Amino acid sequence: ALVGILLDGFPVYGTHENGTAVTNSDLDEYHGHFSATPDFPDGIYHYHVTSEDPYINGNGFYGKTGTISN
């Protein structure tokens, strides 16, 4: 489920994707990846909340802070 939007305008989703728990090893250095989501079926970069540190986002932001992505 969509949890929110980070400061760079990209969405944050919960701990699961397509019924599978997302782990840090599934994500890049910013704690996200590009794939289709229920809200963006053509795909979008998005972050995930995980049960492992850093929990929401990692080493900075994928996009430019203060912008809204579409």
Side-chain angles (χ1 to χ4, degrees):
L2 180 65
V3 174
I5 306 291
L6 285 190
L7 292 174
D8 62 352
F10 287 101
V12 181
Y13 286 88
T15 58
H16 286 71
E17 186 169 75
N18 300 320
T20 302
V22 177
T23 66
N24 286 353
S25 63
D26 298 320
L27 306 172
D28 65 17
E29 65 184 296
Y30 304 111
H31 216 64
H33 65 160
F34 186 93
S35 70
T37 70
D39 305 297
F40 301 94
D42 291 332
I44 190 170
Y45 183 87
H46 59 280
Y47 302 97
H48 279 278
V49 176
T50 65
S51 60
E52 306 165 296
D53 183 39
Y55 307 106
I56 295 179
N57 80 306
N59 189 19
F61 294 95
Y62 178 78
K64 181 179 177 187
T65 58
T67 62
I68 298 296
S69 302
N70 52 17

